[in-house]
Amino acid sequence: MKKNFDDIHSLNRIPEKAKVSLVSVTLVRMGMATTLPQFIIGATLGHSMTFWDAMLATCLGSLIIEFISLGLGFAGMKEGFSTSLLARYCGFGRIGSILLSLVIVISLIGWFGVQNTIFTKGILHAVDYKINFGVIAFFSGISLTFLVASGFKALAWTAKIAVPLFFIVILYIFLFLIFKDDIIIQNYSNTSNLSITQAATVVAGGFMVGALTTPDISRYCKNQNHLFWMITLCIVVGEFIINGISIYIAHRLNTADIVTIMTHNAGIIGLASIILSVIKVNDVNLYSASLGSANALQAFTGKKWDYFKLTICVGLAGTALSMAGILDHFVDFLSMLGVIFPPIAGVMLVDYYILKTSRKILDETREKGLLPDDSSTPLIGWSAIIACIIGTAVGVVFNFGIPSLNSILTSGIAYWLLMKTKNNK
């Protein structure tokens, strides 16, 4: 089913009667945190680091995700806003919040390319690598694109099959390796290709879009306790349990290749779980990217854009990335996400909790269940955009500490200084 929490009340405050139970919001969030990409991240860490270094990196990256998710999540819950609306009143302005949406769209296109590459590798394995990679990558990407663009309803059923099958296969491989012999886990290590700080940024980058869009779900939370447990439980399951299992399996099988991992001892069933999981994830990636593009373009041009044509364009872009070998740069891709998105969160958190530039008008309109008038916010928040650029630059250029943490702190401080300077003129 395409419609999710993002599509409802996306352009207005959510009414109190629309808020749902802790179980409901947690299940939606859990679906984001326990996908195939999360398993791939764990396998990548497991094949590049010692087990305990990988788990330490997971812990550090998870703390960054928790901090951002709780901060933005509380603001979203209190105001009843989605991320795009919250950004509008937290420094970015009307046009700035649309640019934020486009950045998220670009990341979704990247994830589409990653997933399509995995799908292609699965097909290649099935045909014993007798067909060219580029040919399969092209046809698999285009096929799914047209199915999503045409609203092929059968795609919705893949989630009902893919999710339980994926977890059954993972559990089966995990238990098989545990009971295969009595070798202690600490004995397993590989030549480290990632430092702990780099790996922490990879972990943070893997779920940074989810952390940044926490308000899309948290606005449905009834209170702070629901918000805390929704976020914390999902991080425990998605980051520690899923990551821990995938790190262990990668060590035992001495590979980060998801096709090799999932077909080990599971054969054709494991291969089927990969294919169905990729279809399920890319169905959502393509739909969300196309919807975000349509909304952004409509806001910029004032025209309603054809969803079918936009989906084809987005799908072609993701397919091209797949054919160009984006999976070979998976760590670089996640590291990029880990330094581009935290600055956005840094600006929003400083604006909402410290500067409170729109707090008065938000408080007044919240009681009436309305949005502030457009005249109360700037068209574009240049201070926010400049601060994000500075934060991203610091995260990319400087190698000390954890890049994700460096970028969020730098952007927050830069935004505070820019706004103080602006207000003192």
Side-chain angles (χ1 to χ4, degrees):
M1 185 177 180
K2 290 282 197 276
K3 180 164 282 191
N4 54 36
F5 282 6
D6 270 270
D7 302 317
I8 307 171
H9 306 295
S10 60
L11 299 177
N12 56 273
R13 291 183 186 272
I14 183 175
E16 284 295 324
K17 63 180 181 180
K19 298 197 173 186
V20 298
S21 67
L22 172 62
V23 173
S24 296
V25 292
T26 301
L27 286 176
V28 172
R29 178 84 170 188
M30 196 77 75
M32 298 169 60
T34 56
T35 58
L36 180 63
Q38 191 63 49
F39 189 86
I40 300 170
I41 292 169
T44 300
L45 265 60
H47 192 58
S48 303
M49 311 172 72
T50 65
F51 178 85
W52 294 114
D53 280 354
M55 290 305 297
L56 176 58
T58 297
C59 181
L60 294 174
S62 297
L63 287 174
I64 296 172
I65 295 171
E66 177 93 1
F67 172 73
I68 293 174
S69 297
L70 285 175
L72 295 181
F74 177 79
M77 179 197 72
K78 183 177 180 180
E79 303 298 341
F81 285 169
S82 63
T83 298
S84 59
L85 271 183
L86 188 64
R88 182 187 300 181
Y89 303 106
C90 287
F92 285 92
R94 300 192 296 281
I95 299 298
S97 64
I98 296 170
L99 292 174
L100 184 153
S101 298
L102 286 177
V103 173
I104 293 175
V105 166
I106 293 171
S107 73
L108 291 173
I109 294 173
W111 275 114
F112 181 92
V114 169
Q115 297 295 311
N116 190 55
T117 301
I118 295 169
F119 182 93
T120 301
K121 287 193 170 187
I123 298 297
L124 282 173
H125 181 85
V127 300
D128 199 25
Y129 300 90
K130 294 179 180 179
I131 304 177
N132 180 269
F133 170 85
V135 172
I136 298 180
F138 176 78
F139 281 106
S140 63
I142 294 301
S143 297
L144 183 59
T145 297
F146 274 94
L147 288 175
V148 174
S150 61
F152 189 55
K153 295 182 179 180
L155 286 175
W157 286 91
T158 59
K160 298 179 181 180
I161 302 172
V163 174
L165 181 63
F166 178 66
F167 283 108
I168 289 171
V169 171
I170 289 175
L171 184 61
Y172 172 76
I173 296 173
F174 177 62
L175 293 176
F176 178 86
L177 292 175
I178 283 181
F179 293 108
K180 185 177 181 180
D181 50 50
D182 58 356
I183 299 177
I184 301 174
I185 192 170
Q186 288 93 326
N187 290 342
Y188 286 88
S189 63
N190 292 299
T191 302
S192 179
N193 296 318
L194 285 174
S195 68
I196 292 176
T197 55
Q198 289 173 328
T201 295
V202 167
V203 171
F207 197 69
M208 192 53 67
V209 175
L212 193 65
T213 57
T214 298
D216 293 342
I217 299 175
S218 69
R219 59 195 171 130
Y220 287 89
C221 291
K222 293 182 177 179
N223 53 56
Q224 296 179 42
N225 288 335
H226 285 194
L227 171 70
F228 174 81
W229 287 112
M230 174 194 73
I231 292 171
T232 303
L233 287 174
C234 290
I235 286 179
V236 169
V237 174
E239 300 296 335
F240 288 94
I241 295 179
I242 298 297
N243 259 24
I245 290 175
S246 56
I247 289 168
Y248 176 84
I249 293 175
H251 269 280
R252 293 298 303 269
L253 299 182
N254 194 31
T255 181
D257 184 0
I258 190 67
V259 174
T260 300
I261 289 174
M262 297 301 285
T263 55
H264 182 81
N265 299 318
I268 192 66
I269 302 299
L271 185 60
S273 72
I274 293 176
I275 293 173
L276 289 173
S277 295
V278 169
I279 292 173
K280 172 241 178 186
V281 174
N282 260 357
D283 178 24
V284 176
N285 283 338
L286 195 55
Y287 172 72
S288 298
S290 301
L291 191 65
S293 300
N295 292 338
L297 288 172
Q298 184 174 354
F300 275 121
T301 64
K303 299 178 181 179
K304 188 173 183 180
W305 291 69
D306 184 83
Y307 171 77
F308 181 87
K309 293 178 180 178
L310 277 177
T311 303
I312 299 301
C313 292
V314 169
L316 284 172
T319 302
L321 287 175
S322 176
M323 296 173 67
I326 188 174
L327 190 59
D328 295 331
H329 304 283
F330 185 55
V331 171
D332 295 331
F333 173 63
L334 293 181
S335 297
M336 179 189 71
L337 296 183
V339 297
I340 288 178
F341 285 105
I344 297 172
V347 167
M348 293 174 66
L349 291 173
V350 168
D351 189 278
Y352 189 81
Y353 291 102
I354 299 176
L355 297 178
K356 303 179 181 179
T357 56
S358 300
R359 184 62 67 89
K360 183 177 180 181
I361 189 67
L362 287 174
D363 290 342
E364 292 174 354
T365 54
R366 188 190 314 118
E367 297 177 0
K368 304 174 183 177
L370 302 173
L371 291 180
D373 187 84
D374 283 346
S375 62
S376 64
T377 55
L379 184 63
I380 184 167
W382 288 110
S383 296
I385 292 174
I386 293 171
C388 285
I389 293 173
I390 295 172
T392 299
V394 169
V396 171
V397 174
F398 296 97
N399 295 321
F400 64 87
I402 302 175
S404 284
L405 189 58
N406 295 341
S407 63
I408 189 173
L409 290 176
T410 301
S411 67
I413 294 171
Y415 179 67
W416 182 83
L417 289 173
L418 287 168
M419 291 298 290
K420 285 295 183 180
T421 302
K422 178 182 175 182
N423 294 332
N424 290 334
K425 285 184 179 180

